[in-house]
């Protein structure tokens, strides 16, 4: 069994340097203080409607994502290294997507098998030859990172489509500053609250070339029944832009407009939070009732910018993930600063054989899955579950990849039986427009069940405020 | 502003107002049903309550007979009934949620807290002794919502659309309450009513929380049907009267005209109705028929609502 890295524990009963202050503060907290803070935090979140809907649940059951009051802390130097790796990766991902929809140099160079791209469902042929403003496709990327030792980080996956969770990052910080203002007086924590302003700058910076004056930016949401609707409304509010549903937008004379109480208003940039398939019933899924008919043609004509661009999913597809280190080298000419988790491709018979022999110790994921559904975590599964999964894996090996079970780092967390270590990951949010902007910190997700490695909110995960200390 | 945003603001306020009116109607209906000896035929009372909130057809589709427990459940909890208190609060909250960005935090939190608390109330817990407390709670919550709206919202189009919804609903409601009982308000040879008449009149006033203010206003210990009609139709002092509602509707529409710099057909319609009320006299109304007058009013009010929706591009 590998040793689990506890981010607060410096050995010999002393905390690691970045956590020194938090450790002192924890000693002063009584159980009653903690219970009061947790109650207040819950009341704040519930009153503001910071909830998410779990698909399949009754509509009335809008849940709160549990919030833990012990922050997760990075030292300035740790963050500088991480941040450089993140920025490098994001630049490479955008260059990669651009290349895939144009010359496909990387395929010509033989770095990735041709069929992995062309036959991939995430590759959108309609995007071939389309040149978005500034050549940027994935304007907002969330990169899931795990830590296994003081200096050992891995990228678990890239989220290049519509990564969510940034509202929790912002609200967690709000809650911490409200509940424990004294903590922020004692040390300098890099602020995250200018994220909405940075997002708006990024969106405005990618307005179509023909847009004169101040660009009109909107958010496009599937509506109030979407699990992330709160975040859509929150970001619209924070940025001061309209929150639109598909029916609020229409195409006329080659341009996109929104229906207002007065004359229709031209729209230049759409931060859309609906999937590619539902974006435009005339181009993609014909049965989509939440999209905007004709929007893709306006986009292709360069008269509106879609954020993120359609077809970015090709870069975060789990079958492509294993090639990302090559992708980074190919486009930046540099060695990757952030490592990938070693991964077996089940499409390869030899690698599949290894995976089938080692199921109890591996994590097996669906190539196209998300949200922690349809995956096997070998070490915490029963024999029966493993055998059931084995059958599914054998039936459709191409659908799966496997990775070693990483000993994710832990951070102390309040549980019913007191403070105890719980596994965490990290999702920093990266904006690409006129420049690349990395928010200091990101969203820390924590698996609240003892020993659990699944941090997804749909599977009982919670969140923590994430601090990057300033020098 | 998006047309959908305007529509959601309008309907959010309409449904909150409707929830409050429903609570008042239920209070009155329930009072009567508690007095079996005092008034014969409380079933008729429930029937007219169902008519007043235009829920009679919906109820008849689900239930064969009128029974107190069934009516209460239908008007409070039944999600098949779009005007039940639960449906009203849910619809208001869904509309508010869709336009959260247009609401102040206070308004949103008020409406959201109401729904969160209501979602916890189990129909089976609504026993006789708890009903008055619950209905009082509903009224308090709607007033908190309206207070937050009045106290924190910018006076721009957002505010005007929500006021329009509020007062078009209120005007509709008061007119329906009067219309269901119009026959007992008609002038008779003698102005002194029987005990049953007195009860009926008191009930009409109670359902718009006007039984005490009537006495203060007319300085009269007797309810007189003529004056009750005047009070609820033509008196600006009565905050649930038709003319009072139309004063607010007109101001809301004027606010939109100032904001957008344009007036439309809906402005003309509203001021026409307001003018009719302003220059109206009860004797003329009775002469040409109270029922006909109220029917005309309800229809004009509905047309105004549709006209506003078309003018401002509600989806």
């Amino acid at each position: 069994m590998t040793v689990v890295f506890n981010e607060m524990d410096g050995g010999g009963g002393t905390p690691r340097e970045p956590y020194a202050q938090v450790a002192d503060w924890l000693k002063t907290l009584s159980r009653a203080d903690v219970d009061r803070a947790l109650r207040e935090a819950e009341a704040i979140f519930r009153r503001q409607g910071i909830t998410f809907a779990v698909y399949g649940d009754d509509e009335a059951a809008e849940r709160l994502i549990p919030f833990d009051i012990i922050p997760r802390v990075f030292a300035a130097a740790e963050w500088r290294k991480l941040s450089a790796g993140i920025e490098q990766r994001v630049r490479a991902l955008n260059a990669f997507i651009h290349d895939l929809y144009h010359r496909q140099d990387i395929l010509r160079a033989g770095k990735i098998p041709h069929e992995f791209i062309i036959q991939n469902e995430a590759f959108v042929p309609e995007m071939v030859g389309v040149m978005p403003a500034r050549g940027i496709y994935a304007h907002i990327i969330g990169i899931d990172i795990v830590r296994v030792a003081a200096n050992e980080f891995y990228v678990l996956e890239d989220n290049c489509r519509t990564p969510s969770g940034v509202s929790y990052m912002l609200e967690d910080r709000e809650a911490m500053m409200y509940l424990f203002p004294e903590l922020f007086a004692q040390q300098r924590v890099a602020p995250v609250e200018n994220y909405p302003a940075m997002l708006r700058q990024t969106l405005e910076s990618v307005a179509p070339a023909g847009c004169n004056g101040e660009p009109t930016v909107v958010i496009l949401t599937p509506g109030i029944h979407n699990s992330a609707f709160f975040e859509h409304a929150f970001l619209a509010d924070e940025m001061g832009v309209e929150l639109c549903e598909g029916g609020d937008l229409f195409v006329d004379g080659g341009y996109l407009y929104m229906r207002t109480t007065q004359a229709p208003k031209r729209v230049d940039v759409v931060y859309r939070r609906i999937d590619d398939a539902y974006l435009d019933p005339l181009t993609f899924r014909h049965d989509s009732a939440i999209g905007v008919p004709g929007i893709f043609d306006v986009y292709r004509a360069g008269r509106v910018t879609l954020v993120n661009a359609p077809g970015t999913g090709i870069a975060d597809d789990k079958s492509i993930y294993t090639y990302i280190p090559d992708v980074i080298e190919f486009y930046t000419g540099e060695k990757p600063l952030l490592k990938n988790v070693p991964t077996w491709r089940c499409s390869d018979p030899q690698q599949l054989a290894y995976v089938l022999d080692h199921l109890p110790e591996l994590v097996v994921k669906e190539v196209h899955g998300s949200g922690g559904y349809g995956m096997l975590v070998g070490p915490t599964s029963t024999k029966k579950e493993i055998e059931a999964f084995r059958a599914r894996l054998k039936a459709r090996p191409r659908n799966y990849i496997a990775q070693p079970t990483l000993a994710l780092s832990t951070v102390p967390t309040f549980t019913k039986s007191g403070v105890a270590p719980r596994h965490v990951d990290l999702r920093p949010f990266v904006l690409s427009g006129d420049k690349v902007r990395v928010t200091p910190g990101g969203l820390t997700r924590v698996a609240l069940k003892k020993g659990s490695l699944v941090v997804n909110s749909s599977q009982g995960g919670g969140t923590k405020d994430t601090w990057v200390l300033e020098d | 502003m998006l047309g959908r945003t305007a529509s959601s603001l309008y309907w959010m306020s309409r449904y909150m107002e409707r929830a409050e009116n429903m609570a008042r109607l239920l209070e009155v209906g329930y009072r009567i049903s508690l007095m079996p000896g005092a008034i014969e035929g409380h079933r008729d009372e429930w029937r007219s309550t169902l008519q007043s909130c235009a829920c009679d057809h919906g109820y008849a589709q689900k239930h064969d007979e009128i029974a107190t427990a069934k009516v209460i459940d239908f008007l409070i909890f039944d999600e098949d009934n779009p005007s039940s208190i639960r449906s009203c609060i849910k619809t208001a909250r869904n509309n508010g949620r869709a336009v959260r960005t247009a609401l102040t935090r206070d308004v949103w939190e008020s409406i959201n807290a109401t729904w969160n608390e209501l979602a916890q109330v189990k129909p089976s817990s609504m026993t006789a002794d708890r009903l008055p407390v619950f209905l009082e709670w509903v009224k308090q919550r709607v007033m908190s919502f309206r207070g937050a709206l009045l106290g924190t919202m910018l006076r721009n189009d957002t505010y005007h659309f929500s006021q329009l919804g509020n007062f078009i609903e209120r005007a509709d409601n008061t007119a329906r309450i009067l219309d269901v009982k119009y026959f007992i308000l008609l002038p008779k040879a003698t102005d002194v009513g029987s005990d049953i008449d007195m009860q009926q009149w008191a009930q009409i006033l109670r359902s718009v929380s006007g039984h005490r203010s009537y006495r203060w206003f007319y300085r009269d210990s007797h309810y007189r049907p003529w004056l009750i009609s005047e009070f609820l139709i033509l008196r600006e002092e009565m905050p649930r009267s038709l003319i009072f509602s139309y004063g607010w509707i007109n101001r809301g529409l004027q606010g939109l005209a100032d904001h957008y710099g344009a007036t439309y057909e809906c402005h003309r319609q509203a001021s026409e109705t307001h003018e009719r009320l302003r220059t109206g006299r009860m004797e003329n109304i009775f002469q040409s028929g109270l029922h006909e007058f109220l029917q005309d009013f309800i229809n004009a009010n509905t047309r105004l609502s549709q006209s506003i929706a078309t003018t401002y591009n509600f989806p």
Side-chain angles (χ1 to χ4, degrees), chain A residues 63-190:
Chain A
R63 292 202 211 152
L64 289 178
I65 295 186
F67 167 66
D68 183 69
I69 59 173
I70 304 177
R72 197 244 188 116
V73 190
F74 290 101
E78 287 176 325
W79 185 252
R80 270 194 295 275
K81 277 179 72 176
L82 263 180
S83 177
I86 292 165
E87 185 167 341
Q88 178 197 49
R89 194 168 175 108
V90 162
R91 287 186 191 282
L93 286 170
N94 266 306
F96 176 48
I97 302 168
H98 175 264
D99 185 30
L100 290 180
Y101 290 114
H102 290 85
R103 291 173 45 86
Q104 302 192 327
D105 287 333
I106 197 164
L107 304 187
R108 290 165 209 251
K111 299 285 182 190
I112 303 176
H114 203 259
E115 69 273 15
F116 264 63
I117 300 295
I118 304 309
Q119 293 173 14
N120 198 312
E121 285 174 30
F123 183 79
V124 176
E126 291 85 349
M127 282 297 292
V128 171
V130 176
M131 182 64 182
R134 292 183 190 270
I136 292 165
Y137 291 76
H139 311 81
I140 301 154
I141 296 182
I143 295 188
D144 290 350
I145 296 175
V146 297
R147 182 179 207 175
V148 298
N151 291 307
E152 206 175 344
F153 293 87
Y154 291 101
V155 172
L156 210 52
E157 61 184 39
D158 305 292
N159 295 280
C160 298
R161 304 172 205 215
T162 47
S164 63
V166 77
S167 57
Y168 297 101
M169 171 186 88
L170 295 168
E171 288 290 333
D172 286 355
R173 175 64 54 84
E174 280 289 311
M176 283 303 282
M177 292 183 86
Y178 173 80
L179 294 170
F180 306 108
E182 72 280 6
L183 265 179
F184 292 86
Q186 289 164 6
Q187 56 203 328
R188 288 175 48 174
V189 179

Side-chain angles (χ1 to χ4, degrees), chain A residues 258-471:
Chain A
M258 58 177 158
R259 294 177 219 276
T260 74
T261 51
Q262 296 286 281
K265 186 162 168 48
R266 262 267 290 281
V267 175
D268 304 297
V269 181
V270 179
Y271 174 21
R272 47 96 181 201
R273 296 288 300 252
I274 70 181
D275 294 344
D276 289 356
Y278 295 95
L279 197 51
D280 183 346
L282 300 183
T283 304
F284 304 108
R285 279 185 66 151
H286 301 315
D287 59 347
S288 169
I290 56 174
V292 183
I295 194 174
F296 191 72
D297 286 340
V298 181
Y299 174 69
R300 233 183 344 212
R303 289 168 168 177
V304 70
T305 302
L306 296 174
V307 172
N308 289 349
T312 52
I314 191 64
D316 70 16
D317 190 81
K318 289 193 184 73
S319 68
I320 302 300
Y321 163 83
T322 55
Y323 296 99
I324 297 296
D326 304 323
V327 165
I328 295 173
E329 276 204 65
F330 188 81
Y331 296 105
T332 66
E334 302 160 5
K335 289 279 173 206
L337 299 172
L338 277 173
K339 284 186 283 190
N340 259 21
V341 182
T343 303
W344 291 274
R345 299 176 193 131
C346 301
S347 53
D348 176 310
Q350 278 184 339
Q351 300 192 26
L352 174 65
Y354 177 89
V355 170
L356 288 170
D357 281 350
H358 295 84
L359 278 182
E361 57 201 70
L362 298 176
V363 176
V364 191
K365 298 174 179 174
E366 265 187 284
V367 173
H368 303 295
S370 70
Y373 293 101
M375 67 190 276
L376 174 81
V377 181
T380 60
S381 299
T382 63
K383 272 195 177 144
K384 218 173 132 187
E385 284 164 347
I386 290 175
E387 289 317 308
F389 201 90
R390 183 189 303 279
R392 289 213 293 278
L393 175 56
K394 275 177 158 167
R396 304 181 66 191
R398 278 187 72 114
N399 261 12
Y400 295 93
I401 55 165
Q403 295 170 337
T405 312
L406 294 178
L408 302 195
S409 61
T410 63
V411 176
T413 301
F414 277 105
T415 69
K416 284 213 173 67
S417 47
V419 176
R422 289 291 182 267
H423 296 290
V424 294
D425 79 348
L426 176 71
R427 176 179 288 183
F429 294 92
V430 194
L431 300 172
S432 303
D434 48 347
K435 56 183 181 178
V436 176
R437 299 171 167 99
V438 184
T439 48
L443 178 67
T444 290
R445 297 186 295 178
V446 51
L448 294 171
K449 266 183 266 172
K450 188 177 179 185
S452 168
L453 296 168
V454 185
V455 296
N456 301 78
S457 52
S458 51
Q459 313 271 310
T463 66
K464 281 171 171 291
D465 191 15
T466 310
W467 293 4
V468 173
L469 301 182
E470 294 185 329
D471 284 331

Side-chain angles (χ1 to χ4, degrees), chain B residues 43-105:
Chain B
R43 280 199 184 80
D44 292 340
E45 290 310 319
W46 281 128
R47 187 166 291 120
S48 63
T49 302
L50 288 165
Q51 284 167 357
S52 300
C53 53
C55 292
D56 43 338
H57 292 296
Y59 183 86
Q61 277 173 5
K62 273 196 97 151
H63 304 288
D64 295 335
E65 45 149 18
I66 295 204
T68 298
K70 283 181 182 168
V71 175
I72 288 175
D73 185 72
F74 187 73
L75 295 184
I76 295 181
F77 294 107
D78 200 327
E79 295 212 19
D80 293 337
N81 173 12
S83 293
S84 72
I85 289 176
R86 192 185 162 89
S87 297
C88 284
I89 301 286
K90 185 176 178 179
T91 309
R93 193 250 188 182
N94 277 348
N95 275 294
R97 194 159 179 243
V99 295
R100 252 199 72 159
T101 55
L103 303 177
T104 58
R105 181 167 275 204

Side-chain angles (χ1 to χ4, degrees), chain A residues 46-49 51 59 62 171 224-225 229-230 233 236-237 242-245 248 258-262, chain B residues 1-6 90 93-94 97-98 100-101 105 108-109 112 116 161 260 264 311-313:
Chain A
R46 192 164 295 279
R47 225 176 31 240
Q48 292 174 21
T51 55
E59 185 203 328
E62 285 171 12
E171 288 290 333
I224 60 168
H225 298 298
F229 178 79
F230 159 71
D237 197 20
E242 290 289 355
L243 179 63
C244 296
E245 294 180 10
D248 297 325
M258 58 177 158
R259 294 177 219 276
T260 74
T261 51
Q262 296 286 281
Chain B
M1 179 191 287
L2 293 172
R4 182 175 52 81
T5 303
K90 185 176 178 179
R93 193 250 188 182
N94 277 348
R97 194 159 179 243
R100 252 199 72 159
T101 55
R105 181 167 275 204
W108 165 250
E109 287 184 359
N112 193 42
N116 286 336
F161 281 116
Y260 294 130
Y264 302 95
T311 303
Y312 295 105
N313 302 317

